[in-house]
Each structure stands twice: as C-alpha cells, then as structure tokens.
Amino acid sequence: MAGKLIFDLIGFSQPKSLTDVHDDENHDTPQEQMLFDISPEYDMSVSTDYQSNLDYCTRLKGKNADLLIREFTLADGRRSFLLLVDGMCSKQSAEQNLILPAMQLKLSTSPDNIPPMKQLSSIILNTELSEQSSLSKGFIAALTGDLFLCVEGLNVGFVIGARSIESRSVSPSETAGSVVGPHEGFTENLRTNTALIRRRISDPNLTIEMLQVGLRSHTAVALCYINGVTNPELPDTLRRSIQSITVDLINDSGELAQLIEQYPLSPLPQIDGTEKPDAAAAEICQGRAAIIVNGSPYVLLAPATVSSMMQVTEDRYQRWTYSSFLKILRWFSFVISVTAPSLYVAVVAYNPGLLPVDLLLLTAANRINVPFSAVTEVVIMEFFIELLREASIRLPGRISAAMSIVGGLIVGDAAIRAGLVSPLLIIIIGLTSLTSFVIPSYELASSLRLVKYFLLALSAVFGIFGLTVGLVLFVSQLCALYSYGTEFTAPFSPASSKGFVESIIELPIFRRDTRPEYYEPIDLIRMK
C-alpha cells in the first residue's frame, strides 16, 4: 500500500498526456502525435525554455501509453520533467534514485558555481549519468530504456542509465554444444554479452565501442577489440561500414553481417560468428574484432577465413593429438559434403570405367530395377533430405526427433524395397548429410549445400569434366574473396607454412606462441 501511495503521489499511475499538462480541467482528446524526423542530421537542441521542451516531448509522446512523462519541482522551484518508457526501466528505481533526491536539490543556491552535472551526480544514486544537449537524442535515449531529465533554465538535459529490460538468463548454447570447456552462451542482452567477454579478458586495452544502427530501431551495436593487438585499420573499417548503414530496422546480427560484407553477391559468407563467449574472447585475443548486436545471441567475428570457420573451441581444450584427428576429420567432411553426390552421378552416368570391376558390377546390380537415371535419383533424395532437414528445424523438439526417425529409417527403407533408389545412393546421401553436420559454421555449411547443387548440375551434363571445372570455379571463388583485408583462403593462399599446419592439425599448446599473421596483428607474440 505504501508503494502504491508513493506511485500515486509521484504520478506514474496516471501518466500525463498533452491535455493533462496544459489543461487539467479540459478532458478533450489528446493532440495527434508529431512526426519525428529520423534523418541523422536532424537535431532539436534543449532550450532554456522549459515549456518548449515539454511541448516537444509531449507532442512526440502522442497516444503512446507506455511512454511516461512525469513533472516535478526541485527544492528551488525549478520545474522539471522526466521521460521514460514503462517496461524498459524500473519506475521504482526512478522514484527512489532520481525523483525523490532531485526534489531536495537547489541548483540556484549552489555555492561556488558548481556545474549542475556535478550537483546531480552527488545526489542521484546511479552510476550512469551524462549530459545531452540534443533534445531529439535525449528522447531517443529514453526510448532505448534510459531516463531523460530536463530542468527549467538549463540548455542541457541529462541521460540516466536505468535499463531493466527482462531478458533470457545465461544458459548453454543450443546450437554450439560442447563436451569439454565452458557451456554458457550469449544472450539477447547486449550488456550481458559484453560482461561475458570482459569477464574473460580483463585487459585494460580491451575496447568496447558503442554504435547505433537503424534509422527507426536505433539498435545498439558493440564493437570489441584489443587496442595494441588488433590491427587499427580493422576497427576503423568496421566502424565506417556499420555507421554507413541506413536501413530502418536491425533485428539480428545476421542482417548486419549481410550489410557489412564486402562481397554481398557471393554465396559464401565473409563474416564468422559464435554463440560462445569463450570462443569470442579467444578470437579477440587472436587479433580479430567482435560485433555484438543488441537482441541477438550470435556475435559476429571479423575478419573471417575458411580456416577459422572450421575451428571449434574444444580444439583448444583437449589433447593436441585428438584435436588434430578431429580437425583432419572435419576437412575430409568438408570435401565429401561438397563432392560426393556429384562424383556419384559423374561416375555412374558418364565415366563408369573409373570404378574397379567388382564395384562396377555391384553398382550395376543395385540399379537394375531402379526406374530413374542417376541424376534424377540423386535429385529426388537430396530434395527429400532438404525437406526432412527443414521440417526437423521448424517442428517442436519432440516431434522433430520422431520426424527424423520416420524420414530417415522408414521412408528410406521403403524407397529401397520399392526399387525407387539404389542402396548405394542411400549410403552416399546419408554420408553427405552427416559430413555437412560436422562443419562447425552453420553459414559455411549452408553455402556448401548450394555449391553441392552447382557441382551436381555440371556433373549431370559433362561428367567428370564438369565436376573438375566446377571445383576449379569454386576454388577460384574462394581465392577471390577478402574479409576486411584478409584473404578468405588464408593461410592456404597465400601460403604460410606455420599457419597451414595449424589449420590442418592442432599444435601442442606450448607451440601456439604466435597469433595468426594473416590477421596482421600489431603484437604477433602471444606466448613467450
């Protein structure tokens, strides 16, 4: 009851609209909401005229029920108003830490001409307090969850950090599971994500720059790198790329990655990413930069190489012998997932002489009753696998598990018994699907699925010659890509002896004494 009484006295329970402020006796319909100019160059400065500031914010508030404007008076008689969004900051915190202390403040009688900012900081129980001379930016700061305070007679407002937005707690990542090492994953809250990185890198040189993207969403973006390790051209280029975006809304880091890629028409990704804080911290220490988007648990990493996308964090935590075996296994999976269906079509339909005699006779015997050509057979099965994969993703967890069993076992076995497909093809398609899941990067695996169909089309028309041409074109595309100054195929091309070995196998931990030179870090030595 006491809390409700205080809120009623403060005025949060009945937020004032335009007519409430200017004419409490008149209960007419509030005025229409004023159109806010979203152009970056627009700026409405804070005026010393209290009423003009209040009128501006009230007209922008319009009929928004969640946007609250609270008027109160300081101890010296100065009128003030506070702007906040209900649900994005704590009203109780605003009352206890701002309004009640501010009502005891006497700016006009302050000794020694102490600046208002310093006087406010001495009474407001909040660690985040900054001046804002732009009324427009102050209004936007309130929309992002902060408090915006305007005081009569001052040509600046004050932004007070008081965000208390409900978000998912830190939990294991569902898409990047691990057996050893930390299990926690990033969340949708930007400050939680930056804290997870800062907890692992307590270096004072770790820099976390705050940027904004989206003319209407004003999505907060954090650019993280280590000053003195990361090549200074990398954060500068990333900053310019992010600030040049003029889209209305950014909901996820995937949208941002597509907007800052240097080759947007390429089917291959040029920005890496992770949902694990330990992986992001390790890559930042390697000389890369991390980009955190508010509202997304997927943190972007730049520059990206095909080698970095084949790396997992568990490689660093296990014995180097076993990690090396897994790395080699992944590279074999990379090749098989791209070439296996195309190679089957090319050999069976055009170049059967490449097979040993026993295997050729076995393949011919398995395909005696199959009514389709090898190409049609592969296309049907690949289409079925794509449907099964998409259905497993979209359906709830328990149903998707049953769908996988039904699709993979029952339908596959029925297709073989009916003579629609050959058993050898089932093995090829199953192996291709398994190897595609071994690739750590989801973006890279998705791109390779498209490359697989490109090679399949060439193999269906030209056989082994078409497959060879397709592989040459694919490798040429890989070599032509750059990711913020780094070759996408590094360290294979241009060749680097130590980098090549580190990409294929995992060196013993005492041999990982340098950072990858293709990232061009300022400090190349990571272990002495």
Side-chain angles (χ1 to χ4, degrees):
M1 292 295 294
K4 183 179 184 301
L5 179 60
I6 292 176
F7 279 140
D8 290 339
L9 293 175
I10 296 297
F12 278 136
S13 59
Q14 297 293 333
K16 293 185 177 183
S17 63
L18 182 62
T19 51
D20 294 327
V21 174
H22 295 295
D23 190 4
D24 290 336
E25 296 81 11
N26 186 2
H27 299 286
D28 295 336
T29 304
Q31 295 182 9
E32 292 298 325
Q33 183 175 355
M34 183 178 68
L35 184 64
F36 184 83
D37 190 347
I38 64 171
S39 56
E41 63 273 6
Y42 173 75
D43 186 20
M44 177 71 177
S45 300
V46 178
S47 173
T48 55
D49 184 1
Y50 169 81
Q51 196 61 46
S52 65
N53 295 334
L54 180 61
D55 290 344
Y56 176 83
C57 293
T58 308
R59 290 198 304 273
L60 285 178
K61 174 188 181 300
K63 300 178 182 179
N64 291 301
D66 62 333
L67 189 57
L68 310 181
I69 299 179
R70 167 66 181 112
E71 291 188 74
F72 59 96
T73 305
L74 302 185
D76 59 1
R78 291 175 183 258
R79 293 177 296 172
S80 306
F81 72 86
L82 184 67
L83 186 66
L84 72 154
V85 175
D86 189 12
M88 296 186 70
C89 61
S90 173
K91 295 187 292 186
Q92 183 177 5
S93 176
E95 169 231 331
Q96 294 178 350
N97 299 334
L98 176 60
I99 295 180
L100 293 181
M103 293 176 69
Q104 311 300 321
L105 184 63
K106 296 182 180 181
L107 291 177
S108 60
T109 59
S110 60
D112 302 327
N113 294 322
I114 301 177
M117 173 74 174
K118 190 171 183 179
Q119 296 183 60
L120 280 174
S121 63
S122 64
I123 65 166
I124 295 178
L125 305 178
N126 198 294
T127 56
E128 297 183 33
L129 176 64
S130 61
E131 289 186 354
Q132 181 56 261
S133 60
S134 172
L135 194 59
S136 308
K137 294 180 180 179
F139 193 91
I140 292 175
L143 294 180
T144 59
D146 292 328
L147 305 175
F148 183 60
L149 174 65
C150 269
V151 180
E152 183 179 10
L154 300 181
N155 60 354
V156 293
F158 303 94
V159 176
I160 302 100
R163 303 184 186 185
S164 61
I165 305 173
E166 294 293 332
S167 61
R168 180 170 59 93
S169 60
V170 177
S171 58
S173 172
E174 296 183 0
T175 60
S178 60
V179 179
V180 297
H183 287 217
E184 62 186 7
F186 287 117
T187 70
E188 287 77 14
N189 187 281
L190 184 142
R191 278 303 172 208
T192 302
N193 294 341
T194 57
L196 289 173
I197 293 179
R198 180 72 73 175
R199 189 176 70 181
R200 288 169 170 79
I201 307 177
S202 299
D203 188 351
N205 293 313
L206 175 63
T207 304
I208 301 179
E209 296 185 26
M210 294 305 301
L211 307 171
Q212 276 191 346
V213 180
L215 297 178
R216 298 190 183 275
S217 63
H218 297 280
T219 305
V221 176
L223 177 61
C224 310
Y225 59 93
I226 298 181
N227 190 21
V229 173
T230 305
N231 187 337
E233 294 183 3
L234 176 61
D236 291 343
T237 307
L238 287 171
R239 190 185 307 111
R240 288 194 299 268
S241 300
I242 294 173
Q243 291 176 339
S244 64
I245 298 174
T246 56
V247 70
D248 281 352
L249 173 68
I250 291 291
N251 264 330
D252 186 75
S253 57
E255 295 178 315
L256 182 65
Q258 297 178 66
L259 291 170
I260 64 176
E261 284 182 341
Q262 296 176 301
Y263 303 91
L265 298 180
S266 173
L268 297 170
Q270 299 118 57
I271 301 293
D272 198 2
T274 181
E275 286 191 19
K276 295 180 66 64
D278 57 318
E283 296 302 325
I284 291 174
C285 287
Q286 292 283 68
R288 303 171 75 185
I291 304 172
I292 308 174
V293 179
N294 190 31
S296 174
Y298 193 76
V299 172
L300 304 177
L301 297 171
T305 65
V306 65
S307 174
S308 67
M309 292 184 176
M310 296 294 290
Q311 175 87 22
V312 296
T313 54
E314 288 182 273
D315 292 340
R316 302 183 177 97
Y317 307 144
Q318 301 180 109
R319 298 288 300 175
W320 70 274
T321 50
Y322 183 63
S323 296
S324 299
F325 167 73
L326 293 180
K327 268 192 171 183
I328 295 173
L329 184 65
R330 279 188 223 114
W331 283 112
F332 273 114
S333 300
F334 180 96
V335 176
I336 293 173
S337 65
V338 174
T339 62
S342 306
L343 185 61
Y344 172 83
V345 170
V347 171
V348 171
Y350 289 92
N351 306 94
L354 296 176
L355 294 175
V357 176
D358 293 341
L359 184 58
L360 177 60
L361 294 176
L362 179 62
T363 303
N366 288 330
R367 289 187 46 80
I368 289 177
N369 298 322
V370 177
F372 305 113
S373 65
V375 178
T376 307
E377 192 182 12
V378 171
V379 170
I380 291 175
M381 290 307 302
E382 285 289 353
F383 180 70
F384 173 72
I385 292 296
E386 292 295 339
L387 286 178
L388 183 62
R389 188 199 304 259
E390 192 67 16
S392 300
I393 294 175
R394 304 305 168 195
L395 289 174
R398 296 180 180 179
I399 302 178
S400 65
M403 176 66 70
S404 301
I405 295 174
V406 171
L409 297 179
I410 299 177
V411 177
D413 182 68
I416 295 176
R417 292 179 180 273
L420 298 178
V421 295
S422 64
L424 179 59
L425 178 63
I426 294 294
I427 297 175
I428 296 294
I429 297 299
L431 182 62
T432 303
S433 300
L434 285 176
T435 52
S436 66
F437 290 129
V438 174
I439 298 174
S441 172
Y442 178 77
E443 292 80 7
L444 181 60
S446 301
S447 300
L448 294 181
R449 285 159 62 187
L450 299 178
V451 174
K452 174 182 63 178
Y453 294 123
F454 171 71
L455 297 179
L456 180 61
L458 291 178
S459 299
V461 178
F462 302 106
I464 290 294
F465 175 75
L467 177 59
T468 305
V469 172
L471 289 175
V472 170
L473 293 176
F474 173 56
V475 174
S476 300
Q477 172 68 12
L478 287 176
C479 296
L481 292 180
Y482 282 78
S483 177
Y484 288 92
T486 299
E487 293 84 352
F488 190 66
T489 53
F492 306 113
S493 175
S496 170
S497 57
K498 184 176 182 180
F500 181 87
V501 174
E502 285 182 324
S503 298
I504 300 298
I505 65 173
E506 190 73 18
L507 295 178
I509 190 169
F510 54 85
R511 293 294 184 187
R512 307 172 208 161
D513 52 353
T514 59
R515 297 181 174 89
E517 57 185 15
Y518 45 86
Y519 292 147
E520 299 182 356
I522 298 177
D523 185 5
L524 190 62
I525 306 300
R526 63 179 298 269
M527 180 189 297
K528 296 182 180 179

